[in-house]
Amino acid sequence: MTETNLETRMRDGIVLRGDLWRPEGDERRPVLLQRTPYGKGDGRTPGTFIQKALARGYAVFVQDVRGRYASDGDFDPYRQEGRDGYDTVEWIATQRWSNGRIGTYGLSYPGATQWQLAVESPPHLACIFPAMTYSSAREFFYFGGAFDMSWLPYLLQNIAPDIRRRLNLPVPPGSEDRAGRDAAAKAALWHVPLNDVPELKDSCPFYFEWLDHPDDGDYWDYANIEAKYDKVTVPAFNFSGWHDEGYGPNGAVRNFTGARTKGGAAAAREARLMIGPWTHGGQSRSRFGERDFGPAAAIQYDELVLDWNDLHLRGVDNNQFSSEPRVRIFTMGTNRWRTSSEWPIPGTRHQSWFLRADGRLATEAPGAAEAPDAYTYDPADPVVDPHGGAYSGVLGPFDQNDVGKRKDVLVFNSEPLSEDLEVTGNIEIRLWISSSAPDTDFHVHVLDVEPDGRAWNLMSPTVAVVRARYRNDERHPELMTPGRPYELTFRLPITSNCFLRGHRIRAHVMSSFFPHLDRNPNTGRPVPAESRLVPARQTILHDASHPSRLILPVILE
């Protein structure tokens, strides 16, 4: 049975609309809820997941979030989802077709709506399955202080068209179809200043608010899940991929550990974590980018979501969750799953690999007189991802050798490994730098080099940047004194990869990776408003007093 455009009135009077699917009959049933900004559909044909859910006896309610498609109000991403989600859950609990036990599901934005709902503690929420979503605005809108440029094509291609339709705004010339919007997005990525995007001024004012708040601070509290774990009372299945968007794996890990240690009820502390080799979706496949991770990489995602809800809404342990370890992660290289009771993996040891002269990467620390390396970073000619980026939607592992051929990229290689080396967890990077600029960026990419020379990235590039003004604190930026050495600390890189015997570890050091992240103009002025692009001379120090190094989380079997 299907009922379309069911109205749910929020506490402020705004009406949201959703479609209901349920099995025949008058029985009250557990309900699965998804809240989406991407359009709930027309309610005519249930998707594959909904069909599977109906077969297990669930009712399914899919709702357009505030300000999107069939729902009233104004869309302001992520800001309204907690209260609206709470009101929706409690409304569902009163309906004749609901037994009052409600679970949630969804990936990306629909994943974020679940965490924002959970921190509001609705009484009738039983569990959540938030896939590929974030934990903090500072690793979502910005990374290491650099703005995530994927927001521009996301808004221009996916969000602005419906808002213009609702507001009866004219369509910008050339943006009448998807191809035109894609072209406009690509052009906007290269345009400076970042806060000069006429196509978004009337439709997406929140974009300009994000740019007006490049520092951490109270403005971002609405999107900060990490400060609210004590309000969560239900179990969460945290799900992501190593090649997901940068916020995904760190978000899954932090939400898992935060709920486990700070959850507001015993049920919340029963959180689980699963990370595969996947990109932003595609869990039923084994090939991503240019690598195939073998048949074990592909999973039955719909069944996993339904099994989790079966456990908490129906009391049925189809997947034997009660006897399985809480953590399940996929190790690339060996292409096998690893389970653990906790994260980080118990027994993890940290091993330093030092940047050395002549492009070496070694476990031996440098001597006192080792000469530095230098390059010139020109924001008008940034390092461009040859495999795509924000406007192409391309994620995953690709051979990075072309990147290393540029003059503004430093390459450091280890010797071929004499034995396998498993690296699982967050990689810390300590990079000693100086610059001719008062502010600039540094990126460090850790790669796995095969004996045939192919060099694979192991994670999203957005986690591998530090904007120098935020080297100490993202709330209180500090410009640099040109020519003075500073130590930068990278804490966001995260992976699980076994560097096999005969492989090399490689590090690329550079100052841009466009169009994933915005270009630092090197002037020290606020980046979103800056139209001047000034080259900077960058120096990487690696001597005894300035030991630049990778600190790898190593698993010893």
Side-chain angles (χ1 to χ4, degrees):
M1 297 178 63
T2 305
E3 298 179 56
T4 60
N5 290 319
L6 293 184
E7 295 187 350
T8 308
R9 189 171 298 278
M10 302 294 101
R11 65 190 71 180
D12 61 357
I14 295 295
V15 173
L16 309 187
R17 295 176 180 86
D19 295 339
L20 171 69
W21 288 267
R22 60 188 177 93
E24 297 285 344
D26 296 328
E27 181 180 346
R28 293 178 178 269
R29 299 180 179 276
V31 181
L32 302 182
L33 167 66
Q34 181 179 111
R35 307 187 62 252
T36 178
Y38 305 124
K40 61 181 177 57
D42 58 13
R44 294 175 186 170
T45 305
T48 302
F49 175 83
I50 294 176
Q51 293 177 21
K52 294 176 181 178
L54 294 175
R56 295 203 191 189
Y58 288 102
V60 182
F61 189 65
V62 181
Q63 182 188 66
D64 286 336
V65 300
R66 179 183 296 240
R68 297 295 288 165
Y69 296 96
S71 289
D72 297 341
D74 296 325
F75 182 62
D76 192 351
Y78 307 98
R79 191 175 288 277
Q80 69 283 337
E81 305 306 352
R83 293 185 297 272
D84 287 355
Y86 181 106
D87 293 350
T88 299
V89 165
E90 293 309 299
W91 172 84
I92 289 173
T94 67
Q95 301 306 298
R96 68 185 188 284
W97 34 266
S98 168
N99 70 1
R101 295 195 62 76
I102 298 153
T104 59
Y105 71 100
L107 182 154
S108 196
Y109 196 112
T113 65
Q114 299 175 64
W115 269 112
Q116 290 180 308
L117 158 64
V119 300
E120 298 288 332
S121 310
H124 289 91
L125 183 66
C127 67
I128 61 176
F129 198 112
M132 299 179 172
T133 190
Y134 74 97
S135 63
S136 166
R138 297 307 299 181
E139 283 85 45
F140 187 39
F141 297 94
Y142 290 83
F143 288 88
F147 185 66
D148 185 339
M149 292 295 283
S150 68
W151 286 108
L152 257 178
Y154 172 79
L155 296 177
L156 287 166
Q157 294 164 342
N158 300 316
I159 301 301
D162 180 61
I163 295 177
R164 289 196 198 98
R165 177 190 63 80
R166 298 165 66 92
L167 299 177
N168 293 315
L169 296 173
V171 177
S175 297
E176 293 83 2
D177 56 18
R178 179 74 188 198
R181 292 193 294 273
D182 288 350
K186 188 172 183 179
L189 288 168
W190 285 94
H191 180 73
V192 290
L194 279 178
N195 62 7
D196 179 28
V197 185
E199 298 91 338
L200 296 179
K201 285 196 178 295
D202 293 329
S203 58
C204 300
F206 38 82
Y207 167 77
F208 302 95
E209 286 188 12
W210 301 341
L211 294 181
D212 285 343
H213 294 85
D215 306 341
D216 196 3
D218 294 345
Y219 171 82
W220 295 109
D221 286 352
Y222 74 94
N224 185 0
I225 303 301
E226 295 178 14
K228 305 167 187 172
Y229 295 125
D230 61 333
K231 299 178 181 177
V232 178
T233 59
V234 299
F237 196 113
N238 300 280
F239 184 94
S240 188
W242 299 124
H243 290 285
D244 189 6
E245 302 278 3
Y247 56 80
N250 275 307
V253 164
R254 292 183 183 187
N255 287 333
F256 168 75
T257 57
R260 287 278 299 145
T261 58
K262 302 175 184 176
R269 296 189 285 276
E270 294 302 314
R272 303 186 80 87
L273 173 67
M274 184 176 186
I275 305 180
W278 316 299
T279 56
H280 200 58
Q283 304 86 262
S284 63
R285 297 184 284 111
S286 62
R287 185 175 180 83
F288 301 92
E290 296 173 337
R291 295 186 72 179
D292 194 312
F293 293 102
I299 67 165
Q300 294 182 313
Y301 175 71
D302 290 351
E303 284 69 21
L304 183 65
V305 175
L306 291 170
D307 287 349
W308 179 248
N309 281 280
D310 278 354
L311 176 64
H312 297 288
L313 273 65
R314 300 173 58 222
V316 177
D317 192 1
N318 294 317
N319 206 35
Q320 299 180 338
F321 288 113
S322 58
S323 60
E324 288 188 349
R326 295 185 182 92
V327 176
R328 188 176 184 220
I329 59 166
F330 189 91
T331 301
M332 301 178 290
T334 53
N335 296 342
R336 64 181 180 88
W337 289 95
R338 167 187 288 280
T339 58
S340 173
S341 60
E342 295 295 342
W343 182 275
I345 304 298
T348 299
R349 299 291 184 266
H350 291 89
Q351 188 177 99
S352 290
W353 286 74
F354 296 90
L355 277 58
R356 300 293 305 275
D358 301 318
R360 292 181 296 129
L361 190 65
T363 54
E364 298 81 20
E370 195 156 294
D373 290 292
Y375 61 93
T376 297
Y377 157 53
D378 183 354
D381 181 26
V383 179
V384 174
D385 184 350
H387 305 288
Y391 58 83
S392 67
V394 175
L395 296 171
F398 292 92
D399 184 1
Q400 301 294 308
N401 275 297
D402 285 346
V403 174
K405 294 175 182 177
R406 289 184 55 120
K407 293 180 179 179
D408 52 359
V409 177
L410 301 180
V411 180
F412 296 87
N413 284 304
S414 74
E415 292 296 320
L417 297 175
S418 59
E419 58 185 16
D420 293 356
L421 182 70
E422 182 182 334
V423 173
T424 295
N426 281 98
I427 298 172
E428 184 173 315
I429 301 168
R430 301 288 185 90
L431 190 70
W432 279 95
I433 61 92
S434 67
S435 175
S436 63
D439 181 49
T440 192
D441 291 352
F442 288 90
H443 299 239
V444 181
H445 293 181
V446 180
L447 312 176
D448 183 348
V449 184
E450 297 206 31
D452 64 8
R454 290 177 298 171
W456 305 117
N457 55 300
L458 304 175
M459 63 198 77
S460 166
T462 56
V463 300
V465 62
V466 170
R467 180 151 290 171
R469 70 174 69 192
Y470 296 115
R471 63 193 177 277
N472 296 321
D473 184 352
E474 290 193 17
R475 285 180 175 263
H476 304 101
E478 301 175 57
L479 296 180
M480 298 187 295
T481 300
R484 175 182 167 184
Y486 296 90
E487 185 181 41
L488 307 183
T489 302
F490 300 67
R491 293 188 174 91
L492 294 180
I494 186 170
T495 193
S496 180
N497 183 76
C498 186
F499 295 85
L500 300 177
R501 184 168 63 88
H503 287 219
R504 299 173 188 261
I505 305 169
R506 176 177 294 174
H508 281 174
V509 180
M510 49 202 163
S511 289
S512 57
F513 202 63
F514 196 74
H516 295 278
L517 296 158
D518 68 335
R519 296 166 287 169
N520 195 317
N522 297 328
T523 64
R525 297 183 60 220
V527 173
E530 181 60 275
S531 57
R532 285 194 310 136
L533 303 177
V534 178
R537 189 65 176 168
Q538 316 287 58
T539 300
I540 306 300
L541 299 96
H542 42 75
D543 54 45
S545 299
H546 309 95
S548 294
R549 61 201 184 275
L550 316 179
I551 304 174
L552 304 181
V554 173
I555 306 298
L556 302 176
E557 297 279 10

mmCIF file of all heavy atoms in Angstrom, residues 519-533:
data_model
loop_
_atom_site.group_PDB
_atom_site.id
_atom_site.type_symbol
_atom_site.label_atom_id
_atom_site.label_comp_id
_atom_site.label_asym_id
_atom_site.label_seq_id
_atom_site.Cartn_x
_atom_site.Cartn_y
_atom_site.Cartn_z
ATOM 1 N N ARG A 519 42.368 27.144 -3.369
ATOM 2 C CA ARG A 519 43.773 27.534 -3.484
ATOM 3 C C ARG A 519 44.069 28.656 -2.489
ATOM 4 O O ARG A 519 43.347 29.650 -2.433
ATOM 5 C CB ARG A 519 44.054 28.038 -4.906
ATOM 6 C CG ARG A 519 43.876 26.993 -5.978
ATOM 7 C CD ARG A 519 43.831 27.638 -7.355
ATOM 8 N NE ARG A 519 42.568 28.347 -7.579
ATOM 9 C CZ ARG A 519 42.344 29.161 -8.602
ATOM 10 N NH1 ARG A 519 43.306 29.409 -9.478
ATOM 11 N NH2 ARG A 519 41.168 29.751 -8.745
ATOM 12 N N ASN A 520 45.132 28.499 -1.744
ATOM 13 C CA ASN A 520 45.561 29.592 -0.876
ATOM 14 C C ASN A 520 46.264 30.640 -1.744
ATOM 15 O O ASN A 520 47.241 30.322 -2.424
ATOM 16 C CB ASN A 520 46.511 29.081 0.209
ATOM 17 C CG ASN A 520 46.695 30.084 1.326
ATOM 18 O OD1 ASN A 520 46.855 31.285 1.084
ATOM 19 N ND2 ASN A 520 46.664 29.602 2.556
ATOM 20 N N PRO A 521 45.805 31.896 -1.724
ATOM 21 C CA PRO A 521 46.411 32.921 -2.579
ATOM 22 C C PRO A 521 47.744 33.448 -2.060
ATOM 23 O O PRO A 521 48.392 34.261 -2.726
ATOM 24 C CB PRO A 521 45.355 34.024 -2.605
ATOM 25 C CG PRO A 521 44.611 33.866 -1.326
ATOM 26 C CD PRO A 521 44.590 32.387 -1.036
ATOM 27 N N ASN A 522 48.123 33.024 -0.846
ATOM 28 C CA ASN A 522 49.437 33.367 -0.263
ATOM 29 C C ASN A 522 49.565 34.813 0.197
ATOM 30 O O ASN A 522 50.686 35.266 0.476
ATOM 31 C CB ASN A 522 50.577 33.066 -1.250
ATOM 32 C CG ASN A 522 50.681 31.599 -1.596
ATOM 33 O OD1 ASN A 522 50.392 30.744 -0.783
ATOM 34 N ND2 ASN A 522 51.096 31.310 -2.831
ATOM 35 N N THR A 523 48.474 35.547 0.299
ATOM 36 C CA THR A 523 48.574 36.962 0.677
ATOM 37 C C THR A 523 48.385 37.202 2.170
ATOM 38 O O THR A 523 48.746 38.275 2.671
ATOM 39 C CB THR A 523 47.521 37.787 -0.071
ATOM 40 O OG1 THR A 523 46.208 37.368 0.344
ATOM 41 C CG2 THR A 523 47.662 37.631 -1.583
ATOM 42 N N GLY A 524 47.778 36.248 2.867
ATOM 43 C CA GLY A 524 47.469 36.436 4.277
ATOM 44 C C GLY A 524 46.121 37.077 4.525
ATOM 45 O O GLY A 524 45.653 37.132 5.661
ATOM 46 N N ARG A 525 45.479 37.578 3.473
ATOM 47 C CA ARG A 525 44.143 38.154 3.620
ATOM 48 C C ARG A 525 43.109 37.038 3.679
ATOM 49 O O ARG A 525 43.407 35.882 3.354
ATOM 50 C CB ARG A 525 43.859 39.097 2.450
ATOM 51 C CG ARG A 525 44.785 40.310 2.375
ATOM 52 C CD ARG A 525 44.376 41.221 1.213
ATOM 53 N NE ARG A 525 43.018 41.713 1.376
ATOM 54 C CZ ARG A 525 42.139 41.835 0.373
ATOM 55 N NH1 ARG A 525 42.473 41.474 -0.846
ATOM 56 N NH2 ARG A 525 40.936 42.308 0.598
ATOM 57 N N PRO A 526 41.857 37.348 4.080
ATOM 58 C CA PRO A 526 40.815 36.309 4.079
ATOM 59 C C PRO A 526 40.681 35.672 2.700
ATOM 60 O O PRO A 526 40.457 36.359 1.700
ATOM 61 C CB PRO A 526 39.559 37.084 4.482
ATOM 62 C CG PRO A 526 40.066 38.242 5.282
ATOM 63 C CD PRO A 526 41.369 38.622 4.648
ATOM 64 N N VAL A 527 40.827 34.370 2.639
ATOM 65 C CA VAL A 527 40.898 33.675 1.356
ATOM 66 C C VAL A 527 39.619 33.821 0.530
ATOM 67 O O VAL A 527 39.701 34.071 -0.684
ATOM 68 C CB VAL A 527 41.253 32.195 1.571
ATOM 69 C CG1 VAL A 527 41.172 31.412 0.267
ATOM 70 C CG2 VAL A 527 42.648 32.079 2.181
ATOM 71 N N PRO A 528 38.413 33.693 1.110
ATOM 72 C CA PRO A 528 37.216 33.759 0.266
ATOM 73 C C PRO A 528 37.024 35.085 -0.466
ATOM 74 O O PRO A 528 36.352 35.125 -1.496
ATOM 75 C CB PRO A 528 36.074 33.514 1.262
ATOM 76 C CG PRO A 528 36.697 32.764 2.378
ATOM 77 C CD PRO A 528 38.064 33.340 2.502
ATOM 78 N N ALA A 529 37.601 36.160 0.064
ATOM 79 C CA ALA A 529 37.423 37.481 -0.545
ATOM 80 C C ALA A 529 38.616 37.917 -1.384
ATOM 81 O O ALA A 529 38.610 39.016 -1.955
ATOM 82 C CB ALA A 529 37.162 38.521 0.545
ATOM 83 N N GLU A 530 39.636 37.066 -1.495
ATOM 84 C CA GLU A 530 40.880 37.461 -2.153
ATOM 85 C C GLU A 530 40.838 37.142 -3.649
ATOM 86 O O GLU A 530 40.521 36.011 -4.043
ATOM 87 C CB GLU A 530 42.054 36.739 -1.505
ATOM 88 C CG GLU A 530 43.419 37.077 -2.095
ATOM 89 C CD GLU A 530 43.765 38.554 -1.983
ATOM 90 O OE1 GLU A 530 43.344 39.308 -2.883
ATOM 91 O OE2 GLU A 530 44.433 38.933 -0.994
ATOM 92 N N SER A 531 41.172 38.118 -4.461
ATOM 93 C CA SER A 531 41.253 37.912 -5.910
ATOM 94 C C SER A 531 42.692 37.923 -6.418
ATOM 95 O O SER A 531 42.941 37.541 -7.565
ATOM 96 C CB SER A 531 40.439 38.974 -6.647
ATOM 97 O OG SER A 531 40.865 40.276 -6.307
ATOM 98 N N ARG A 532 43.644 38.357 -5.587
ATOM 99 C CA ARG A 532 45.055 38.338 -5.990
ATOM 100 C C ARG A 532 45.649 36.957 -5.710
ATOM 101 O O ARG A 532 45.421 36.376 -4.647
ATOM 102 C CB ARG A 532 45.865 39.380 -5.219
ATOM 103 C CG ARG A 532 45.660 40.810 -5.660
ATOM 104 C CD ARG A 532 46.752 41.700 -5.067
ATOM 105 N NE ARG A 532 46.897 41.490 -3.624
ATOM 106 C CZ ARG A 532 48.065 41.375 -2.988
ATOM 107 N NH1 ARG A 532 49.200 41.408 -3.671
ATOM 108 N NH2 ARG A 532 48.105 41.229 -1.674
ATOM 109 N N LEU A 533 46.426 36.448 -6.662
ATOM 110 C CA LEU A 533 47.109 35.169 -6.506
ATOM 111 C C LEU A 533 48.605 35.414 -6.611
ATOM 112 O O LEU A 533 49.103 35.858 -7.651
ATOM 113 C CB LEU A 533 46.645 34.182 -7.579
ATOM 114 C CG LEU A 533 45.139 33.900 -7.629
ATOM 115 C CD1 LEU A 533 44.808 32.967 -8.789
ATOM 116 C CD2 LEU A 533 44.649 33.298 -6.315
#
